[in-house]
Amino acid sequence: MTRETDPSGGRSGGAAAAGSSDKLVARAVGKRSSRRGGGRAGAAARRGQAALQQMPWSIPQNIDPPIEPLPPEGVAAIHDGAMRILEEIGVVFLNPEALALFKQAGCQVEGDLVRMDRGFVMEMLAHAPPEFTITPRNPARSIPIGGKNLLFGNVSSPPNYWDLDLGKKVAGSREQCQNLLKLTQYFNCIHFAGGYPVEPVDIHASVRHLDVLYDKLTLTDKAMHAYSLGKERVEDVMEMVRIAGGLSDAEFEAKPRMYTNINSTSPLKHDYPMIDGCLRLVRRGQAVVVTPFTLAGAMAPVTMAGAVTQSLAESLCAIALFQYVRPGTPCAIGTFTSNVDMKSGAPAFGTPEYMRATQMTGQMARYYGLPMRSSGVCAANVPDGQAMWETSNSLWAAVQSGTNMVYHAAGWLEGGLIASPEKFIMDCEVLQQIQRYMQPEICATAEEDIALDAIREVGNEGHFFGIQHTQDRYASAFYQPYLSDWRNYEAWEAAGSIWTPERANRIYKDILAEFEPPDMEVAIREALQDFVARRKSEGGAPTDF
C-alpha cells in the first residue's frame, strides 16, 4: 500500500530553511514576459504540425447536477457519526503545536488524543471559503477551486516508472520525472502540477525536493504543490515559488500561490510532519487539501458508509484546526476512500464501492460548504483495458460527485506505485472527452440546433452529409480524438495493427521532441539556481537515514 506522500520521508528538526533574501528578490524583478503558453506552439509553428491537435486551455464547468446517493436522513446519519467520532472517540495528533492549539481552543486533550465537540467543528468550518483561486507564476494558468469548476492534475508520488520501451517496472529517475513534467505542461487538460509525477530516487532525499521543484518551476508554469514533510521542505518550496513568481513576501502571502495535500494516518491519526507543514503554509495564506487514505476493510470499516464517516472525521478535525489558526484559510476536503481485495489485502480502485464512496463524500462536502478533491486511479499494472475501465470509472465518479480537483488524473498505475507516460497519454484522451461532454453547446436547443430546415431539406430520402447545415458545422460538431483509432479492422491492419499503448508511446516521443519550456526571465532562473545551490550547501532537509 502507498500513501500520497514523498516517499523520501524526513523528520522535522534542525535549522529552519533560510527566509526571504533581498538579493534574490532584487535579481528576480523585471518586466514580465508576454509569452505564457509554453514552448509547444513555437516548435509546432516551425515544423508546421504539432504532435497532436488538442483542446485549448480552459477551466471546465460541471454543468450536470451531482449524483446524491444519500437521502436527507443518510446525510444526517453520516454527519452525526463523524461528529460522534470526534466527540467520543477522538483523533490522535502527534504534533505538540497542534495539541497546544486544540487545548487553547477549549478541546479535550489527553496526551496526544484530542476530542472536540461538534459546535467547535462547525464554527470553524463556517470560516472556510467555499471557493478560492490559486495563482501560479503564470496568472493565465490560475485555477479556481470550488463551485462548478472541474480541474485535473498529473499523477503524483509513484516511486516506480514503466514505459513500453523498457517493458518493466523500474525505480524512478530525475529524467523520467522531467519527462512527465513536460507532459504536465504540454497538455491543456492538465490544470495543476501535483507532487512528483514519479519519485526521482537517483537524487538524495535530503535535496530531492530542491531539484524537483526547480524542474517543476522551470518546465511548467502551472499551480505548484509542496509535500508537507518537515519544515525545511515546506519552507524551501514556499521560497522557491515566491522567487519564481518575482514576488515579495507580502505579495506571496496576499493570496494562495500554491497548495499542499496531506493524508491522515488512518485510522484516526495525524502525524507530526504533515500537520507541521500545513500550519506553516496556513500561516502564510496558502491552500491545504486534507485527504484521508481510508481503505474499507483494512484502515476503515468494511461498510462504505462507515469508511466515509471515518474519513470525514479525519478530514474535518484537521480543517477545523487550520481555520482556528487562520480563519478563512483556503481548504478543501479530499476523498481517497476505496476498498481492499479481501482475498489478498491489496487496494482496489475504480470499483463500484469506490464510485459510491466518492459520490457520498461529494454530497457531504457540499453539506459542509467545502471544495472537494478526488482521484483518477486504478489497480492495473500496465496501460491495458483494466487500467482504462478502472480509471474511467474513477474519473466519472469524480464528475458525478461534483469534485473540484481530480488528483492523479493522468499517468497512474498499480495503485499509485507506477507512473507511465503511455497511460498519461491515454488518460488525457479521456479527460478531453469529459471536457467536451461538459460543453453546453452539445445540449443547445436554439432554432439552428433543432435544425428543422435541415430535416425538411433532406426529407424522407437522401442524407445530411452534403447539405449546408452540415458543411457549416462538420469541423467542430463532434469530439476529434488524438489517440483513438476509428478505422475498421482492415484499415487498421493495413496501417500496421498499432495497438493503443503503442500509439500513445509514439505520441509521447513526439511531444518530448517538440517540447519547449515556458518562458522564465533569466534573473529569476538564476535566483532559483542560487537558492538551490545555497540550500544544498547547507545540507538540504533531514532524512530518516
Side-chain angles (χ1 to χ4, degrees):
M1 298 180 184
T2 181
R3 297 175 65 205
E4 298 177 293
T5 61
D6 176 357
S8 63
R11 300 183 186 278
S12 180
S20 304
S21 167
D22 292 337
K23 177 181 178 182
L24 293 180
V25 173
R27 295 184 61 183
V29 298
K31 184 178 179 181
R32 312 297 297 164
S33 170
S34 60
R35 185 166 73 87
R36 293 290 189 177
R40 183 187 66 81
R46 288 192 296 275
R47 295 174 185 167
Q49 185 177 4
L52 58 87
Q53 296 299 316
Q54 61 172 314
M55 296 172 68
W57 167 272
S58 67
I59 304 297
Q61 298 291 299
N62 192 337
I63 63 174
D64 289 350
I67 289 178
E68 298 195 331
L70 299 171
E73 58 270 24
V75 172
I78 286 180
H79 167 67
D80 182 64
M83 294 301 106
R84 290 185 63 187
I85 289 172
L86 298 179
E87 291 173 332
E88 301 171 14
I89 302 172
V91 177
V92 167
F93 280 79
L94 301 175
N95 184 296
E97 183 181 9
L99 295 172
L101 288 165
F102 277 123
K103 189 172 184 179
Q104 182 185 78
C107 299
Q108 183 180 351
V109 179
E110 298 177 3
D112 52 20
L113 182 68
V114 180
R115 298 184 181 91
M116 59 195 77
D117 66 62
R118 67 187 67 198
F120 168 77
V121 175
M122 297 306 288
E123 179 185 354
M124 293 301 104
L125 295 183
H127 296 301
E131 299 184 43
F132 57 89
T133 297
I134 298 176
T135 305
R137 71 177 182 90
N138 178 1
R141 302 288 196 180
S142 296
I143 52 172
I145 312 294
K148 294 183 179 295
N149 299 301
L150 176 60
L151 307 168
F152 302 113
N154 58 343
V155 60
S156 302
S157 304
N160 304 300
Y161 175 91
W162 184 99
D163 69 27
L164 200 60
D165 298 311
L166 288 170
K168 63 180 181 179
K169 170 180 169 180
V170 298
S173 70
R174 184 176 186 180
E175 181 181 4
Q176 293 160 352
C177 184
Q178 290 170 334
N179 288 341
L180 290 166
L181 287 171
K182 292 174 183 178
L183 295 182
T184 298
Q185 174 66 14
Y186 182 92
F187 276 99
N188 292 326
C189 61
I190 300 298
H191 301 97
F192 57 93
Y196 310 163
V198 69
E199 186 76 15
V201 298
D202 55 344
I203 307 173
H204 193 271
S206 62
V207 296
R208 189 176 299 162
H209 67 290
L210 297 167
D211 285 336
V212 177
L213 258 294
Y214 177 82
D215 291 342
K216 289 178 74 172
L217 288 166
T218 55
L219 293 174
T220 82
D221 59 4
K222 298 180 180 179
M224 288 290 111
H225 160 277
Y227 287 109
S228 287
L229 291 173
K231 61 182 179 181
E232 290 82 7
R233 290 181 177 85
V234 169
E235 297 288 351
D236 286 347
V237 174
M238 285 195 287
E239 183 65 1
M240 291 178 72
V241 170
R242 185 193 68 78
I243 293 169
L247 305 168
S248 66
D249 285 326
E251 289 170 330
F252 175 80
E253 296 175 9
K255 56 184 177 181
R257 305 283 183 174
M258 56 177 289
Y259 72 99
T260 191
N261 175 87
I262 65 165
N263 304 119
S264 52
T265 306
S266 302
L268 302 178
K269 187 179 298 181
H270 283 280
D271 68 17
Y272 179 91
M274 290 196 184
I275 294 297
D276 177 77
C278 286
L279 290 173
R280 293 174 186 278
L281 285 157
V282 163
R283 289 191 169 107
R284 298 194 67 187
Q286 304 309 302
V288 172
V289 182
V290 183
T291 310
F293 188 3
T294 46
L295 292 176
M299 300 132 70
V302 73
T303 55
M304 300 315 294
V308 168
T309 299
Q310 179 186 308
S311 174
L312 288 169
E314 294 176 4
S315 299
L316 296 176
C317 61
I319 294 173
L321 171 66
F322 304 145
Q323 295 302 321
Y324 178 75
V325 171
R326 183 167 175 157
T329 196
C331 289
I333 193 167
T335 176
F336 213 79
T337 298
S338 192
N339 57 287
V340 296
D341 176 2
M342 297 306 288
K343 297 177 182 177
S344 67
F349 297 104
T351 63
E353 294 81 10
Y354 175 94
M355 297 177 72
R356 281 303 192 192
T358 303
Q359 294 164 1
M360 292 161 67
T361 306
Q363 194 170 355
M364 298 306 300
R366 287 185 293 280
Y367 176 84
Y368 296 116
L370 292 168
M372 178 169 145
R373 164 254 152 134
S374 63
S375 300
V377 287
C378 67
N381 298 308
V382 294
D384 58 6
Q386 177 188 336
M388 297 316 296
W389 76 61
E390 290 178 348
T391 301
S392 186
N393 282 349
S394 63
L395 289 173
W396 280 104
V399 171
Q400 294 164 348
S401 70
T403 286
N404 303 115
M405 298 180 75
V406 184
Y407 255 58
H408 313 302
W412 163 296
L413 287 172
E414 201 200 354
L417 294 176
I418 295 176
S420 161
E422 289 86 3
K423 179 66 162 35
F424 200 113
I425 301 294
M426 294 162 71
D427 288 336
C428 284
E429 178 84 282
V430 178
L431 299 182
Q432 285 205 149
Q433 292 185 31
I434 292 173
Q435 286 188 257
R436 172 59 178 163
Y437 176 85
M438 288 300 173
Q439 291 176 349
E441 54 263 36
I442 298 178
C443 305
T445 55
E447 182 177 352
E448 60 271 22
D449 301 302
I450 300 298
L452 283 178
D453 289 342
I455 296 170
R456 184 177 293 111
E457 180 180 350
V458 173
N460 303 103
E461 298 181 4
H463 57 74
F464 288 83
F465 281 115
I467 68 170
Q468 194 61 46
H469 185 273
T470 302
Q471 292 298 306
D472 291 342
R473 295 165 175 79
Y474 78 93
S476 59
F478 310 125
Y479 175 77
Q480 292 298 311
Y482 63 80
L483 181 61
S484 298
D485 189 333
W486 288 350
R487 295 173 291 188
N488 63 24
Y489 184 89
E490 289 75 18
W492 170 78
E493 186 177 40
S497 307
I498 308 301
W499 287 47
T500 304
E502 295 175 279
R503 296 196 298 274
N505 179 268
R506 291 182 179 183
I507 291 173
Y508 164 59
K509 292 173 181 176
D510 288 343
I511 291 172
L512 293 189
E514 74 171 35
F515 181 84
E516 290 183 356
D519 282 352
M520 175 176 280
E521 294 176 27
V522 173
I524 289 179
R525 185 182 295 272
E526 290 177 347
L528 284 172
Q529 291 169 344
D530 289 349
F531 179 83
V532 170
R534 176 169 63 81
R535 288 292 296 123
K536 285 185 174 181
S537 71
E538 295 168 351
T543 65
D544 291 332
F545 45 88

